[in-house]
Amino acid sequence: MSLILTLNAGSSSIKFALYEKTLKGDPPLIVRGKVERIGTAARLVVNDSDGKRMIDISASNHREALNAILEELKDDTKGRTVAGVGHRIVHGGPDFSAPVRISEANLEAIRALSPLAPLHQPHNVSAIEAALAEFPKAMQVGIFGTAFHAGKPFTQDAYGIPRRYYEAGVRRYGFHGLSYTYIAERLEARYPALYSGRVIVAHLGNGASMCAMKGGQSIATTMGFSALDGLCMGTRPGQLDPGVLLYLLDNEGMTSAEVSKMLYKESGLKGLSENTNDMRVLLESSDVKDKEAVAYFTARIQREIGSLTAALGGLDGIVFTGGIGENSAEIRAGIANGMGWIGLELNEAANEAGGPVIGSGAVQALVIPTNEELVMARAVVERL
Ligand code: ADP
């Protein structure tokens, strides 16, 4: 039987998963894991049938990280063909609205989108190049984080700046599309009434966004042109008055590189707490700044639920997913707290138990673990 590999390259990590290619149904997972802290104290984390292992490795760049992954997978791939490789690509620009087979022309177009996601797109491109070199006969498929939001109405896609910028691609793209694709599929299969209704999906991880969904379509989302907008994240600020940026550039003498570093790496939970972006640590802390960071994170989500509910014209359900959304009953309860007016109330015991059904009000509430790798593997299988 041949194999499907999925790669998800971030700024300092590559997540991977290896699947068996089957003729019918979802491909079964063989092993998944990641290389994290590329460039510093790199380590390989592997999750397979034997459990979880962590191995310190040397990987100063993404190419070396991929080599370490392939070395680890050697036993599983021996004597078998990797028939397809799925790549998560952060940005699809205005044109990529569905997964594509990577051709030379497509790769060039993906590379040309790098200015739209300078911290992520180049790593996605280097993962494709490495996989092309390693598996020249395999079909390479790009799956875009922006594609799920491609059909949004103009009012949720444009910014109120001169129109020529919209035409030039300055739009509210939105991200986390693979996660939303997976959740939409789960809703359709398990909760069809909700699927056809008005749902907010809250993908709360180190990166965080919410999507207003109707019939599996994105109507609006909290992220915009870049993955900085919307909710407070691990190290990114979320919603920010652009006047703040002008002030920092003009009055604080910061360079655009310094502002960029602050926005991507030093803000959000980490910046507000002056401690960490790790939600588990913040929730256990009694420090005032740590508590304020968590309170800000929660309050931003509550405000955006109001905003997305307006875009949907009402609300039938909310789905929590991502590392925080799936695992933290405390954050879910904090979000629901004071939102009875919108119909969001949680069953305390069900919330503590982790769901899937945790709502007790007029608005349904669910916890659904996301699976971005499976979305990639399915996209590859469909094209093989
Ligand atoms: P990424 O966006 O990097 O994929 P994840 O979806 O893995 O991130 O989410 C990482 C976040 O989830 C971290 O802030 C981590 O502290 C948080 N998290 C994981 N488990 C828990 C938990 N049990 N309680 C609270 N937060 C958690």
Side-chain angles (χ1 to χ4, degrees), residues 60-117:
S60 56
N61 56 44
H62 284 66
R63 187 65 205 253
E64 288 175 17
L66 184 63
N67 285 343
I69 292 169
L70 296 176
E71 180 64 25
E72 174 63 30
L73 297 179
K74 221 170 49 189
D75 287 347
D76 296 302
T77 51
K78 201 162 153 193
R80 305 166 94 185
T81 318
V82 173
V85 185
H87 298 270
R88 176 177 184 257
I89 298 170
V90 164
H91 220 299
D95 298 325
F96 289 114
S97 56
V100 293
R101 183 175 183 167
I102 308 251
S103 60
E104 251 176 59
N106 281 337
L107 181 55
E108 200 40 52
I110 291 165
R111 199 181 277 121
L113 293 168
S114 292
L116 295 179

Short mmCIF file of all heavy atoms in Angstrom, two decimals, residues 60-117:
data_model
loop_
_atom_site.label_atom_id
_atom_site.label_comp_id
_atom_site.label_asym_id
_atom_site.label_seq_id
_atom_site.Cartn_x
_atom_site.Cartn_y
_atom_site.Cartn_z
N SER A 60 19.20 23.28 12.04
CA SER A 60 19.35 24.74 12.05
C SER A 60 18.45 25.40 11.02
O SER A 60 18.30 26.60 10.99
CB SER A 60 20.81 25.12 11.81
OG SER A 60 21.24 24.54 10.60
N ASN A 61 17.84 24.58 10.15
CA ASN A 61 16.89 25.16 9.19
C ASN A 61 15.81 24.11 8.85
O ASN A 61 15.88 22.96 9.31
CB ASN A 61 17.60 25.64 7.92
CG ASN A 61 18.41 24.52 7.29
OD1 ASN A 61 17.94 23.38 7.18
ND2 ASN A 61 19.64 24.81 6.87
N HIS A 62 14.84 24.53 8.02
CA HIS A 62 13.71 23.65 7.73
C HIS A 62 14.11 22.41 6.94
O HIS A 62 13.53 21.35 7.10
CB HIS A 62 12.63 24.44 6.99
CG HIS A 62 11.85 25.35 7.90
ND1 HIS A 62 12.43 26.42 8.53
CD2 HIS A 62 10.57 25.33 8.31
CE1 HIS A 62 11.53 27.01 9.28
NE2 HIS A 62 10.38 26.37 9.16
N ARG A 63 15.13 22.58 6.08
CA ARG A 63 15.59 21.44 5.28
C ARG A 63 16.13 20.33 6.20
O ARG A 63 15.82 19.15 6.03
CB ARG A 63 16.68 21.95 4.32
CG ARG A 63 17.15 20.94 3.30
CD ARG A 63 15.99 20.61 2.38
NE ARG A 63 16.17 19.30 1.79
CZ ARG A 63 16.49 19.10 0.52
NH1 ARG A 63 16.65 20.11 -0.29
NH2 ARG A 63 16.61 17.88 0.05
N GLU A 64 16.93 20.76 7.19
CA GLU A 64 17.49 19.77 8.13
C GLU A 64 16.39 19.15 8.98
O GLU A 64 16.44 17.97 9.33
CB GLU A 64 18.55 20.44 9.01
CG GLU A 64 19.83 20.75 8.24
CD GLU A 64 20.85 21.53 9.07
OE1 GLU A 64 20.74 21.57 10.32
OE2 GLU A 64 21.74 22.13 8.45
N ALA A 65 15.39 19.97 9.30
CA ALA A 65 14.26 19.44 10.09
C ALA A 65 13.52 18.37 9.30
O ALA A 65 13.16 17.31 9.83
CB ALA A 65 13.33 20.58 10.48
N LEU A 66 13.31 18.64 8.01
CA LEU A 66 12.61 17.66 7.17
C LEU A 66 13.44 16.38 7.05
O LEU A 66 12.89 15.27 7.09
CB LEU A 66 12.30 18.26 5.79
CG LEU A 66 11.48 17.34 4.89
CD1 LEU A 66 10.10 17.07 5.48
CD2 LEU A 66 11.32 17.93 3.50
N ASN A 67 14.76 16.54 6.93
CA ASN A 67 15.62 15.36 6.87
C ASN A 67 15.47 14.51 8.13
O ASN A 67 15.42 13.29 8.07
CB ASN A 67 17.09 15.77 6.70
CG ASN A 67 17.35 16.22 5.27
OD1 ASN A 67 16.56 15.94 4.37
ND2 ASN A 67 18.43 16.96 5.06
N ALA A 68 15.39 15.19 9.27
CA ALA A 68 15.23 14.46 10.55
C ALA A 68 13.89 13.73 10.57
O ALA A 68 13.79 12.59 11.05
CB ALA A 68 15.32 15.44 11.72
N ILE A 69 12.86 14.36 10.02
CA ILE A 69 11.54 13.71 9.96
C ILE A 69 11.61 12.47 9.07
O ILE A 69 11.14 11.39 9.43
CB ILE A 69 10.47 14.70 9.43
CG1 ILE A 69 10.23 15.81 10.45
CG2 ILE A 69 9.16 13.99 9.09
CD1 ILE A 69 9.40 16.98 9.92
N LEU A 70 12.24 12.62 7.89
CA LEU A 70 12.31 11.49 6.95
C LEU A 70 13.13 10.35 7.53
O LEU A 70 12.80 9.17 7.34
CB LEU A 70 12.89 11.96 5.62
CG LEU A 70 12.02 13.00 4.89
CD1 LEU A 70 12.71 13.48 3.63
CD2 LEU A 70 10.64 12.43 4.57
N GLU A 71 14.17 10.69 8.26
CA GLU A 71 15.00 9.67 8.92
C GLU A 71 14.14 8.90 9.94
O GLU A 71 14.16 7.68 10.01
CB GLU A 71 16.18 10.39 9.61
CG GLU A 71 17.15 9.51 10.36
CD GLU A 71 17.90 8.53 9.45
OE1 GLU A 71 18.04 8.82 8.25
OE2 GLU A 71 18.31 7.45 9.97
N GLU A 72 13.33 9.66 10.68
CA GLU A 72 12.46 9.04 11.69
C GLU A 72 11.41 8.12 11.04
O GLU A 72 11.03 7.10 11.58
CB GLU A 72 11.78 10.15 12.51
CG GLU A 72 10.75 9.70 13.51
CD GLU A 72 11.33 8.80 14.60
OE1 GLU A 72 12.52 8.98 14.93
OE2 GLU A 72 10.59 7.92 15.10
N LEU A 73 10.96 8.52 9.84
CA LEU A 73 9.90 7.76 9.16
C LEU A 73 10.45 6.59 8.33
O LEU A 73 9.67 5.87 7.69
CB LEU A 73 9.09 8.69 8.24
CG LEU A 73 8.31 9.83 8.91
CD1 LEU A 73 7.60 10.66 7.86
CD2 LEU A 73 7.30 9.27 9.91
N LYS A 74 11.77 6.45 8.33
CA LYS A 74 12.43 5.49 7.44
C LYS A 74 11.83 4.09 7.53
O LYS A 74 11.54 3.46 6.50
CB LYS A 74 13.93 5.43 7.80
CG LYS A 74 14.82 5.34 6.59
CD LYS A 74 16.28 5.54 6.95
CE LYS A 74 16.66 4.66 8.14
NZ LYS A 74 18.00 4.95 8.66
N ASP A 75 11.59 3.63 8.76
CA ASP A 75 11.05 2.28 8.92
C ASP A 75 9.66 2.16 8.33
O ASP A 75 9.29 1.14 7.74
CB ASP A 75 11.00 1.89 10.41
CG ASP A 75 12.41 1.61 10.92
OD1 ASP A 75 13.32 1.47 10.07
OD2 ASP A 75 12.58 1.54 12.15
N ASP A 76 8.86 3.22 8.49
CA ASP A 76 7.48 3.18 7.99
C ASP A 76 7.42 3.30 6.47
O ASP A 76 6.48 2.81 5.84
CB ASP A 76 6.67 4.33 8.61
CG ASP A 76 6.53 4.19 10.11
OD1 ASP A 76 6.00 3.15 10.54
OD2 ASP A 76 6.98 5.08 10.84
N THR A 77 8.40 4.02 5.88
CA THR A 77 8.32 4.26 4.43
C THR A 77 9.12 3.22 3.63
O THR A 77 8.97 3.15 2.41
CB THR A 77 8.87 5.67 4.08
OG1 THR A 77 10.14 5.84 4.67
CG2 THR A 77 7.94 6.77 4.55
N LYS A 78 9.92 2.41 4.34
CA LYS A 78 10.79 1.44 3.66
C LYS A 78 9.99 0.49 2.75
O LYS A 78 9.00 -0.10 3.20
CB LYS A 78 11.51 0.62 4.73
CG LYS A 78 12.76 -0.04 4.23
CD LYS A 78 13.57 -0.43 5.44
CE LYS A 78 14.47 -1.59 5.22
NZ LYS A 78 14.95 -2.07 6.52
N GLY A 79 10.41 0.42 1.53
CA GLY A 79 9.76 -0.50 0.60
C GLY A 79 8.37 -0.05 0.16
O GLY A 79 7.66 -0.78 -0.52
N ARG A 80 7.96 1.13 0.55
CA ARG A 80 6.64 1.63 0.14
C ARG A 80 6.81 2.96 -0.57
O ARG A 80 7.80 3.66 -0.38
CB ARG A 80 5.74 1.81 1.37
CG ARG A 80 5.64 0.53 2.18
CD ARG A 80 5.06 0.79 3.51
NE ARG A 80 3.63 0.58 3.53
CZ ARG A 80 2.86 0.83 4.57
NH1 ARG A 80 3.36 1.34 5.66
NH2 ARG A 80 1.57 0.59 4.52
N THR A 81 5.82 3.32 -1.35
CA THR A 81 5.93 4.55 -2.12
C THR A 81 5.16 5.67 -1.44
O THR A 81 4.00 5.46 -1.04
CB THR A 81 5.27 4.34 -3.51
OG1 THR A 81 5.65 3.07 -3.98
CG2 THR A 81 5.66 5.41 -4.49
N VAL A 82 5.78 6.82 -1.34
CA VAL A 82 5.03 8.00 -0.92
C VAL A 82 4.36 8.55 -2.19
O VAL A 82 5.01 9.13 -3.05
CB VAL A 82 5.94 9.05 -0.24
CG1 VAL A 82 5.17 10.33 0.04
CG2 VAL A 82 6.54 8.49 1.03
N ALA A 83 3.06 8.30 -2.30
CA ALA A 83 2.35 8.64 -3.54
C ALA A 83 1.98 10.11 -3.60
O ALA A 83 1.86 10.70 -4.67
CB ALA A 83 1.10 7.79 -3.67
N GLY A 84 1.79 10.71 -2.44
CA GLY A 84 1.37 12.12 -2.43
C GLY A 84 1.84 12.83 -1.18
O GLY A 84 1.97 12.22 -0.12
N VAL A 85 2.13 14.13 -1.33
CA VAL A 85 2.53 14.95 -0.18
C VAL A 85 1.61 16.17 -0.14
O VAL A 85 1.46 16.88 -1.13
CB VAL A 85 4.00 15.42 -0.29
CG1 VAL A 85 4.42 16.17 0.98
CG2 VAL A 85 4.93 14.24 -0.55
N GLY A 86 0.97 16.37 1.01
CA GLY A 86 0.09 17.54 1.18
C GLY A 86 0.83 18.62 1.96
O GLY A 86 1.46 18.33 2.98
N HIS A 87 0.78 19.84 1.46
CA HIS A 87 1.45 20.95 2.13
C HIS A 87 0.44 21.99 2.58
O HIS A 87 -0.36 22.46 1.76
CB HIS A 87 2.41 21.66 1.15
CG HIS A 87 3.50 20.78 0.66
ND1 HIS A 87 4.70 20.66 1.29
CD2 HIS A 87 3.56 19.95 -0.42
CE1 HIS A 87 5.47 19.80 0.63
NE2 HIS A 87 4.79 19.36 -0.43
N ARG A 88 0.50 22.34 3.86
CA ARG A 88 -0.32 23.46 4.30
C ARG A 88 0.39 24.73 3.88
O ARG A 88 1.56 24.94 4.18
CB ARG A 88 -0.47 23.44 5.82
CG ARG A 88 -1.24 24.62 6.36
CD ARG A 88 -1.39 24.46 7.84
NE ARG A 88 -2.18 25.50 8.43
CZ ARG A 88 -1.68 26.52 9.12
NH1 ARG A 88 -0.37 26.64 9.26
NH2 ARG A 88 -2.47 27.41 9.67
N ILE A 89 -0.34 25.58 3.15
CA ILE A 89 0.23 26.85 2.70
C ILE A 89 -0.60 27.96 3.31
O ILE A 89 -1.83 27.99 3.15
CB ILE A 89 0.25 26.91 1.16
CG1 ILE A 89 1.14 25.78 0.65
CG2 ILE A 89 0.75 28.26 0.68
CD1 ILE A 89 1.08 25.57 -0.82
N VAL A 90 0.09 28.84 4.03
CA VAL A 90 -0.62 29.85 4.80
C VAL A 90 -1.47 30.74 3.90
O VAL A 90 -2.64 30.97 4.18
CB VAL A 90 0.40 30.70 5.61
CG1 VAL A 90 -0.23 31.99 6.10
CG2 VAL A 90 0.90 29.89 6.78
N HIS A 91 -0.88 31.22 2.80
CA HIS A 91 -1.58 32.23 2.01
C HIS A 91 -1.85 31.79 0.58
O HIS A 91 -0.93 31.39 -0.13
CB HIS A 91 -0.77 33.52 1.99
CG HIS A 91 -1.64 34.73 2.11
ND1 HIS A 91 -2.61 35.03 1.20
CD2 HIS A 91 -1.69 35.69 3.05
CE1 HIS A 91 -3.23 36.14 1.57
NE2 HIS A 91 -2.69 36.58 2.70
N GLY A 92 -3.09 31.88 0.17
CA GLY A 92 -3.45 31.57 -1.21
C GLY A 92 -3.77 32.81 -2.03
O GLY A 92 -4.15 32.69 -3.20
N GLY A 93 -3.64 33.99 -1.40
CA GLY A 93 -3.93 35.23 -2.14
C GLY A 93 -5.36 35.25 -2.65
O GLY A 93 -6.20 34.45 -2.21
N PRO A 94 -5.67 36.14 -3.60
CA PRO A 94 -7.05 36.24 -4.09
C PRO A 94 -7.44 35.08 -5.01
O PRO A 94 -8.61 34.86 -5.26
CB PRO A 94 -7.06 37.55 -4.89
CG PRO A 94 -5.73 38.19 -4.72
CD PRO A 94 -4.78 37.17 -4.17
N ASP A 95 -6.47 34.32 -5.51
CA ASP A 95 -6.78 33.37 -6.59
C ASP A 95 -6.90 31.90 -6.18
O ASP A 95 -7.68 31.16 -6.77
CB ASP A 95 -5.74 33.49 -7.71
CG ASP A 95 -5.77 34.88 -8.33
OD1 ASP A 95 -6.88 35.46 -8.41
OD2 ASP A 95 -4.70 35.40 -8.69
N PHE A 96 -6.14 31.45 -5.17
CA PHE A 96 -6.21 30.04 -4.80
C PHE A 96 -7.37 29.82 -3.82
O PHE A 96 -7.27 30.12 -2.64
CB PHE A 96 -4.91 29.57 -4.16
CG PHE A 96 -3.76 29.45 -5.12
CD1 PHE A 96 -2.66 30.29 -5.01
CD2 PHE A 96 -3.78 28.51 -6.14
CE1 PHE A 96 -1.59 30.18 -5.89
CE2 PHE A 96 -2.72 28.40 -7.04
CZ PHE A 96 -1.63 29.24 -6.92
N SER A 97 -8.47 29.30 -4.32
CA SER A 97 -9.63 29.12 -3.45
C SER A 97 -9.95 27.65 -3.22
O SER A 97 -10.99 27.32 -2.67
CB SER A 97 -10.85 29.85 -4.05
OG SER A 97 -11.07 29.37 -5.35
N ALA A 98 -9.04 26.76 -3.63
CA ALA A 98 -9.20 25.32 -3.40
C ALA A 98 -7.80 24.70 -3.45
O ALA A 98 -6.87 25.32 -3.97
CB ALA A 98 -10.09 24.71 -4.48
N PRO A 99 -7.65 23.47 -2.91
CA PRO A 99 -6.33 22.83 -3.00
C PRO A 99 -5.90 22.67 -4.45
O PRO A 99 -6.75 22.48 -5.33
CB PRO A 99 -6.56 21.45 -2.35
CG PRO A 99 -7.75 21.64 -1.48
CD PRO A 99 -8.62 22.64 -2.18
N VAL A 100 -4.58 22.76 -4.71
CA VAL A 100 -4.10 22.58 -6.09
C VAL A 100 -2.92 21.62 -6.12
O VAL A 100 -2.15 21.52 -5.17
CB VAL A 100 -3.62 23.91 -6.74
CG1 VAL A 100 -4.76 24.85 -6.96
CG2 VAL A 100 -2.48 24.54 -5.96
N ARG A 101 -2.80 20.95 -7.24
CA ARG A 101 -1.61 20.16 -7.51
C ARG A 101 -0.48 21.15 -7.79
O ARG A 101 -0.66 22.11 -8.54
CB ARG A 101 -1.88 19.30 -8.74
CG ARG A 101 -0.75 18.40 -9.03
CD ARG A 101 -1.07 17.47 -10.17
NE ARG A 101 0.09 16.60 -10.31
CZ ARG A 101 0.10 15.51 -11.01
NH1 ARG A 101 -0.96 15.12 -11.65
NH2 ARG A 101 1.18 14.78 -11.10
N ILE A 102 0.68 20.90 -7.17
CA ILE A 102 1.78 21.86 -7.33
C ILE A 102 2.50 21.61 -8.65
O ILE A 102 3.11 20.57 -8.84
CB ILE A 102 2.79 21.74 -6.16
CG1 ILE A 102 2.03 21.84 -4.84
CG2 ILE A 102 3.93 22.74 -6.33
CD1 ILE A 102 2.21 23.02 -4.04
N SER A 103 2.39 22.59 -9.52
CA SER A 103 3.15 22.57 -10.77
C SER A 103 4.22 23.65 -10.63
O SER A 103 4.23 24.39 -9.64
CB SER A 103 2.23 22.93 -11.94
OG SER A 103 1.70 24.23 -11.69
N GLU A 104 5.09 23.77 -11.61
CA GLU A 104 6.10 24.84 -11.55
C GLU A 104 5.43 26.20 -11.49
O GLU A 104 5.83 27.08 -10.71
CB GLU A 104 7.00 24.75 -12.77
CG GLU A 104 8.40 24.28 -12.43
CD GLU A 104 9.25 24.12 -13.66
OE1 GLU A 104 9.44 25.10 -14.38
OE2 GLU A 104 9.73 22.98 -13.88
N ALA A 105 4.38 26.37 -12.30
CA ALA A 105 3.70 27.67 -12.34
C ALA A 105 3.01 27.96 -11.00
O ALA A 105 3.08 29.09 -10.49
CB ALA A 105 2.67 27.67 -13.47
N ASN A 106 2.37 26.95 -10.43
CA ASN A 106 1.71 27.15 -9.14
C ASN A 106 2.73 27.48 -8.05
O ASN A 106 2.48 28.33 -7.19
CB ASN A 106 0.93 25.90 -8.73
CG ASN A 106 -0.39 25.81 -9.44
OD1 ASN A 106 -0.91 26.83 -9.89
ND2 ASN A 106 -0.93 24.62 -9.57
N LEU A 107 3.86 26.79 -8.08
CA LEU A 107 4.88 27.04 -7.06
C LEU A 107 5.38 28.48 -7.17
O LEU A 107 5.57 29.17 -6.16
CB LEU A 107 6.04 26.05 -7.20
CG LEU A 107 7.16 26.19 -6.17
CD1 LEU A 107 6.63 26.12 -4.75
CD2 LEU A 107 8.23 25.11 -6.37
N GLU A 108 5.54 28.94 -8.40
CA GLU A 108 5.98 30.32 -8.60
C GLU A 108 4.93 31.30 -8.06
O GLU A 108 5.26 32.29 -7.39
CB GLU A 108 6.22 30.54 -10.11
CG GLU A 108 7.09 31.73 -10.45
CD GLU A 108 8.29 31.89 -9.52
OE1 GLU A 108 9.05 30.93 -9.32
OE2 GLU A 108 8.46 33.00 -8.95
N ALA A 109 3.67 30.99 -8.33
CA ALA A 109 2.58 31.86 -7.84
C ALA A 109 2.53 31.86 -6.31
O ALA A 109 2.30 32.90 -5.67
CB ALA A 109 1.24 31.40 -8.41
N ILE A 110 2.77 30.69 -5.70
CA ILE A 110 2.78 30.58 -4.23
C ILE A 110 3.95 31.39 -3.66
O ILE A 110 3.81 32.12 -2.68
CB ILE A 110 2.86 29.10 -3.80
CG1 ILE A 110 1.55 28.39 -4.16
CG2 ILE A 110 3.15 28.97 -2.31
CD1 ILE A 110 1.64 26.87 -4.13
N ARG A 111 5.09 31.27 -4.33
CA ARG A 111 6.28 32.01 -3.89
C ARG A 111 6.03 33.52 -3.98
O ARG A 111 6.40 34.27 -3.09
CB ARG A 111 7.46 31.62 -4.78
CG ARG A 111 8.80 31.94 -4.17
CD ARG A 111 9.95 31.55 -5.08
NE ARG A 111 10.32 30.15 -4.98
CZ ARG A 111 10.30 29.29 -6.01
NH1 ARG A 111 9.93 29.68 -7.21
NH2 ARG A 111 10.65 28.04 -5.83
N ALA A 112 5.33 33.92 -5.04
CA ALA A 112 5.08 35.36 -5.26
C ALA A 112 4.15 35.94 -4.20
O ALA A 112 4.07 37.17 -4.05
CB ALA A 112 4.48 35.56 -6.66
N LEU A 113 3.45 35.09 -3.44
CA LEU A 113 2.56 35.59 -2.38
C LEU A 113 3.31 35.84 -1.07
O LEU A 113 2.71 36.27 -0.09
CB LEU A 113 1.41 34.60 -2.16
CG LEU A 113 0.42 34.47 -3.31
CD1 LEU A 113 -0.50 33.26 -3.10
CD2 LEU A 113 -0.41 35.73 -3.45
N SER A 114 4.62 35.56 -1.06
CA SER A 114 5.39 35.69 0.19
C SER A 114 5.26 37.05 0.88
O SER A 114 5.18 37.09 2.11
CB SER A 114 6.87 35.36 -0.05
OG SER A 114 6.99 33.99 -0.35
N PRO A 115 5.20 38.17 0.14
CA PRO A 115 5.06 39.45 0.85
C PRO A 115 3.78 39.53 1.68
O PRO A 115 3.71 40.30 2.64
CB PRO A 115 5.02 40.48 -0.29
CG PRO A 115 5.70 39.82 -1.43
CD PRO A 115 5.39 38.35 -1.30
N LEU A 116 2.77 38.72 1.34
CA LEU A 116 1.52 38.75 2.12
C LEU A 116 1.66 37.98 3.44
O LEU A 116 0.87 38.20 4.36
CB LEU A 116 0.37 38.15 1.30
CG LEU A 116 -0.04 38.92 0.04
CD1 LEU A 116 -1.18 38.21 -0.67
CD2 LEU A 116 -0.45 40.35 0.39
N ALA A 117 2.61 37.07 3.53
CA ALA A 117 2.82 36.30 4.77
C ALA A 117 4.31 36.03 4.92
O ALA A 117 4.76 34.89 4.84
CB ALA A 117 2.03 34.99 4.74
#
